[in-house]
Structures are given as C-alpha cells and as structure tokens.
Amino acid sequence: MARLRISEVLKAQKIGEKVTLKGWVRAFRSNRFIQLNDGSCLQNIQAVVDFEQFDEALLKQITTGAAIGISGQIVASQGKGQSIEVEVAAIEIIGEAAPDEVQKTVMQPKKHSLEFLREQAHLRFRTNTFGAVFRIRHGIAFAIHQYFNDKGFYYLHSPIITGSDAEGAGEMFHVTNFDLAALPKNEDGSVDFSQDFFGKPVNLTVSGQLEAELGALALGQVYTFGPTFRAENSNTSRHLAEFWMIEPEVAFNDLQDNMDLTEDFLKYICRYIIDNYAEDLAFLHDRDQQEQKAKPEQERNEFGLIDKLAFVINNPFERITYTKAIEILQNSKPYKKKKFKYPVAWGTDLQSEHERYLVEKEFKKPVIITDYPASFKAFYMRQNDDGKTVAAMDVLFPGIGEIVGGSQREERLDVLKKKCQDFHIDEKEIWWYLDTRRFGTVPHAGFGLGFERMVMFITGMGNIRDVIPFPRTPQNAEF
Ligand code: 4AD
Ligand code: MG
C-alpha cells in the first residue's frame, strides 16, 4: 500500500479507507493510543492499537520520538479531540528512539524553552512550534517567488563570493584558501593576495543589489533571493550573521513606485499566509496570546497575531520624510521627558527606540521613512535636489523595526563618481557598476527585504534565531 501523508488523510476524512502512514511518535498512551506526526501538518493522527494483538516487545519500542509505520483502516473516532483515527492492523518499527540518561529528559513530551531547543537540533524540528514556523517560512518563500513571477520579474542569482562591499559598512567575512598559519607576504609585510585563489581579496556578499542593478538595466525588473552575510557584532534578537534577503530592482522606477511596490508586496505575503497556512497560523496565534499574557501589561501587543496581519493588509502604510520624523520625535512625550537614551537631532541616525515610538505609539501601523541625510546612507542612493538628503526609504514594522531598506539609485554618472570619492570607494574596484551609468543609464529603484524579519513578523516569534533552521550569530555556528 502506498504511503499517504497525514495531512492528506486528515483532509480527505475517508471512513473505511485502508492507509499506510509513516512518521514519528509524539506520544503513546495506555498502550493503546499513538499520536503520530509526519511533519506534513501540525495535527497528529491518532492510531489505536489493540495491544492483545501485538507482541509486548514490539509495543515497548513505540516510544516518543521513534519512527514507525502503521497500516490500518480509517474509522470514526470514539474519543474527543479528533474526528477520525486509524484502527491499526500492522506496525513496523523503522527507527527506535532509545535515549540515554541525558536524552531521556530531553525526550519527555513536555514544553521546552526556545533557548533550550536551540541546543537540541534534532528535537527542535519535531516540536509543534518549529513545525509551524518552518512550514510558514516555506510558505513565505513560495509567496515571494509567486508574487514576482506573476508580475513579470526575473529571479537573478547574484554571487555569494564577491569583491564588493555594497553597503560600505565593512562588515564582511573574508573568503580565502590561504593557509592562515603561513600567509604569503609582500615586501612591506602586507598579505600578498595575488597568490590567493581569486588573485585578490574577496568576501561573502552583504547584498546582491549592485549585481541586481546590472540585471535590471537589461531585463527590466529582477529580484534576488539568497543568503547574505554580515560580520556585525550585534547580539540582538533582530540580527543574524547569515540571513536571507530579497532584493527586487526595477528600471524606470522612482522612489514613489518603489514604495508602492514594497507595500503591495508585503501585503501580498501576509494575505498569502492567512489564506494558505490557517492551521499553523492559528497555532502560533494562540502561542502568541499565551506569551503576551506572561508579559507586563504595558509591553503586551495590542493585537493578536492574525488581527495584526489583517491590520497590515487593510491599512495604508504611513509615509513620512526623515525630517518630519525628527519633528514628530522632538514633539513627543518621551523626548520632552528625556526618556530617549539617544539624541534626536536632524543629521543623526534614528535608533530603534525612536523607530519603535513612531511605529508603535505615534502611528500604530507600518511606517515608511524617506529622504534620509546622505551621510548615513549608502553611496548608491540618489541625491535629492536639496543637496543634503537622498531618495532612501526604510519600512518599519510594529515589533520588528526596520524590515525593508531601499532607495532610488543614483543614475547620474558624474554625481555617482563624486559620491564614490566622498565614500572613499576606488572607482577601479567598481568600474563594472559605473559602466551601467555610461551605457544607457536610466532612473531605477529597488529595496531589500530581510527574509527572517518578515518570518518573525508573520509567526510572532520574538527572536530571529527561532525563525531560521540553523542560526549563525557571534560565537555560535553549531550544527
Ligand atoms: O538595509 P539593508 O542593509 O539594505 C541593503 O542591503 C540594500 N542593498 C537593499 C537594497 O536596496 N537592495 O538591508 C536590508 C534588510 C534590512 O531592512 C533588514 O530587514 C535586513 O535586510 N537585515 C538583516 N536581517 C537579519 N540580520 C541582519 N544582520 C540584517 N541586516 C539587515
Ligand atoms: Mg538598512
């Protein structure tokens, strides 16, 4: 008999059907009721065993975590909690779970903390919470490809190994095949990179944007979706050293078009998950409610998880300039009462406390902040006519902060060359990028969505480490 997935069987509800199912035991009660899960959905299927029909030795092997196969008939369930169950005719033990003393406590079917689970690589995936998170993570990735494909974008694979530092923040991981204990040196004592694999220093990409721009200026509209790496030493609940980014880039778009695209795109993803992942989302919604209850009242979210997504879909994002944001902050209560830790003044970057105030207190919805001072934004952003600001945009989400960063790009060669000088970027290093401004340059714009931050927002998980299968953070690259 061909194996069916538990999700299919629960959906079909075919009383009388003979099925074979394979999965992992979540619980085995009273030598009679097996809760079986195969990862296809949140719900377990209940398999009912008549213990008199089976060897005691076999039944002993049915422990939490063991992999088994069962065959039997679908019947209407007598008990509460499920409408159908499997009347077991045959059992196959596929992989025993025989925990040692240490693992025994780990394997208890009880609620473990998220921190604890991060250290139990095998168990983490088997929990309801992480099952739901990773199914939804897949759903978001799929929705992203669907969205761009429907809109006529082409998926462009930007390189992972690159010589450029697109963001200019110098937070790169170097890539080399040198023997680090015996580096070849130049006469002046510096490392001789001409002998390295690529003949020059290279690093893991921090962003695929510069390459995407080349694609957009030929294919019209492209997007990247790949891993990006940043060696920023920020041990926060929002930062990873390895994260995934989606970077659309569109020829002939200006900043307004860019904001419209971002907003439509983010709303589409939320809608897709509500429509296609109702069961997992409902589970995470309840989980979030419980988490909220455990918090002090003033820190609780105003909305439940599903209401929060619906709110994002149904309301226009607030759009304000950086200059306006500073004005609002300087007129705010926390500013006047000196509650902000960091200064608020035109020309200084917004800190997360300021962003949170704008999103969570002032507007209570997603906010797009535009036209930041040129000094703390990247070299490629288009200079505004005021000579002080650039056509940048950051999208801020409640509970997350910055989820998207983007801009209209500087398409004028002379202005861009001047920017390179100001930012100490050697023109010889990015000649290939400057060439796009020499041969049929056009206005264009794009943005980068931090994939894990979007997964956090949709799943309600509070720590970015808990929305990526194998998190990489400072001092941590286990598994
Ligand atoms: O704002 P960022 O640095 O923008 C860029 O890299 C541009 N090249 C994008 C573009 O215009 N094509 O990063 C974009 C987003 C941020 O808004 C944030 O959501 C996410 O990437 N991000 C991180 N996510 C997790 N861990 C980190 N260390 C992150 N750094 C940025
Ligand atoms: Mg940014």
Side-chain angles (χ1 to χ4, degrees):
M1 217 183 309
R3 178 176 68 91
L4 295 177
R5 283 154 54 85
I6 291 172
S7 59
E8 298 171 277
V9 172
L10 289 174
K11 201 166 160 211
Q13 299 270 320
K14 273 194 212 149
I15 307 282
E17 189 185 18
K18 292 225 163 78
V19 297
T20 294
L21 305 171
K22 292 179 183 177
W24 295 270
V25 175
R26 282 288 174 86
F28 186 28
R29 254 186 325 114
S30 319
N31 241 3
R32 193 164 167 77
F33 302 106
I34 302 172
Q35 295 297 327
L36 193 69
N37 190 286
D38 67 0
S40 61
C41 61
L42 184 77
Q43 249 188 300
N44 306 323
I45 200 159
Q46 175 156 286
V48 185
V49 180
D50 177 359
F51 52 83
E52 287 179 352
Q53 277 187 35
F54 295 93
D55 250 12
E56 216 184 303
L58 179 102
L59 295 178
K60 276 225 165 78
Q61 290 175 291
I62 305 175
T63 56
T64 299
I68 64 169
I70 54 165
S71 297
Q73 195 169 354
I74 302 289
V75 296
S77 178
Q78 307 295 311
K80 277 197 210 134
Q82 64 279 320
S83 53
I84 57 165
E85 60 196 21
V86 186
E87 207 172 65
V88 178
I91 302 174
E92 177 196 2
I93 305 292
I94 300 168
E96 269 186 83
D100 61 19
E101 283 309 310
V102 178
Q103 288 280 323
K104 247 184 200 149
T105 52
V106 170
M107 298 296 292
Q108 292 296 318
K110 64 163 207 172
K111 198 170 182 316
H112 291 300
S113 76
L114 299 174
E115 290 77 12
F116 176 78
L117 286 171
R118 269 177 228 143
E119 290 165 7
Q120 303 293 330
H122 71 102
L123 190 66
R124 191 175 183 241
F125 281 106
R126 296 249 187 102
T127 60
N128 282 337
T129 298
F130 286 97
V133 166
F134 292 128
R135 278 187 295 272
I136 288 183
R137 183 182 163 107
H138 160 82
I140 297 172
F142 188 81
I144 288 168
H145 287 299
Q146 183 87 55
Y147 178 86
F148 286 124
N149 187 62
D150 288 352
K151 289 220 175 284
F153 282 68
Y154 298 107
Y155 180 22
L156 191 85
H157 295 96
S158 48
I160 289 173
I161 299 174
T162 171
S164 77
D165 176 10
E167 296 307 301
E171 294 163 334
M172 292 149 346
F173 290 103
H174 301 291
V175 176
T176 177
N177 72 340
F178 275 154
D179 173 357
L180 295 184
L183 292 171
K185 297 280 172 68
N186 293 311
E187 272 172 17
D188 65 0
S190 60
V191 174
D192 181 8
F193 282 102
S194 69
Q195 293 187 46
D196 203 355
F197 190 91
F198 295 103
K200 63 174 197 170
V202 290
N203 51 272
L204 294 176
T205 187
V206 296
S207 155
Q209 178 198 320
L210 302 191
E211 290 87 352
E213 285 187 50
L214 271 69
L217 293 182
L219 296 164
Q221 37 188 29
V222 300
Y223 69 105
T224 71
F225 189 164
T228 44
F229 307 86
R230 294 191 185 178
E232 50 189 333
N233 209 346
S234 18
N235 234 325
T236 79
S237 59
R238 310 265 182 283
H239 289 88
L240 291 165
E242 176 180 297
F243 63 101
W244 288 65
M245 198 170 10
I246 298 95
E247 297 186 273
E249 192 70 34
V250 185
F252 311 110
N253 263 12
D254 63 14
L255 190 64
Q256 285 300 323
D257 303 321
N258 206 29
M259 285 192 276
D260 293 344
L261 177 67
T262 317
E263 187 168 337
D264 187 54
F265 171 58
L266 296 175
K267 287 178 170 173
Y268 176 91
I269 299 171
C270 294
R271 162 67 49 214
Y272 184 90
I273 297 303
I274 288 182
D275 289 348
N276 293 282
Y277 286 83
E279 186 186 38
D280 287 317
L281 199 56
F283 173 82
L284 292 169
H285 177 93
D286 292 345
R287 186 189 169 278
D288 182 61
Q289 297 289 92
Q290 283 165 19
E291 295 265 297
Q292 297 300 327
K293 269 190 215 143
K295 285 185 189 171
E297 201 157 339
Q298 64 274 22
E299 283 175 33
R300 285 181 202 163
N301 291 343
E302 211 167 317
F303 292 129
L305 185 58
I306 297 174
D307 315 311
K308 184 183 79 176
L309 298 182
F311 185 83
V312 165
I313 295 167
N314 295 325
N315 290 282
F317 295 4
E318 192 69 37
R319 300 179 182 193
I320 56 167
T321 62
Y322 165 87
T323 303
K324 178 81 192 161
I326 293 291
E327 221 177 275
I328 293 170
L329 287 167
Q330 286 179 335
N331 285 314
S332 71
K333 260 198 204 142
Y335 179 78
K336 289 181 175 157
K337 291 187 172 167
K338 302 203 175 356
K339 288 268 165 69
F340 287 136
K341 215 172 120 202
Y342 293 92
V344 179
W346 203 98
T348 57
D349 205 353
L350 299 178
Q351 300 296 325
S352 86
E353 57 176 355
H354 309 136
E355 297 179 343
R356 290 195 70 157
Y357 175 82
L358 292 168
V359 174
E360 287 156 30
K361 297 279 184 295
E362 177 76 17
F363 295 111
K364 298 185 193 292
K365 60 171 161 169
V367 178
I368 309 182
I369 302 182
T370 62
D371 305 290
Y372 285 82
S375 58
F376 50 78
K377 288 291 180 187
F379 80 100
Y380 52 69
M381 295 192 182
R382 191 176 197 279
Q383 194 175 302
N384 288 329
D385 293 341
D386 63 12
K388 294 188 300 188
T389 59
V390 287
M393 56 165 223
D394 275 6
V395 182
L396 314 179
F397 262 28
I400 304 289
E402 183 193 331
I403 197 159
V404 163
S407 65
Q408 186 174 335
R409 318 307 187 189
E410 184 54 75
E411 85 281 14
R412 297 160 297 188
L413 181 64
D414 52 336
V415 184
L416 188 58
K417 282 170 94 167
K418 171 81 180 33
K419 276 303 248 325
C420 287
Q421 276 173 18
D422 295 348
F423 282 72
H424 308 290
I425 297 168
D426 189 351
E427 275 182 38
K428 282 192 223 102
E429 294 282 318
I430 55 161
W431 60 272
W432 53 275
Y433 180 72
L434 295 174
D435 270 357
T436 57
R437 275 60 169 176
R438 291 193 180 97
F439 301 96
T441 189
V442 299
H444 60 289
F447 61 84
L449 167 66
F451 184 59
E452 282 76 19
R453 293 197 186 169
M454 191 65 186
V455 182
M456 281 178 83
F457 181 72
I458 291 185
T459 60
M461 300 299 281
N463 193 314
I464 198 164
R465 293 168 178 81
D466 293 328
V467 299
I468 187 163
F470 298 96
R472 270 81 182 94
T473 50
Q475 300 296 310
N476 171 40
E478 198 65 39
F479 322 130

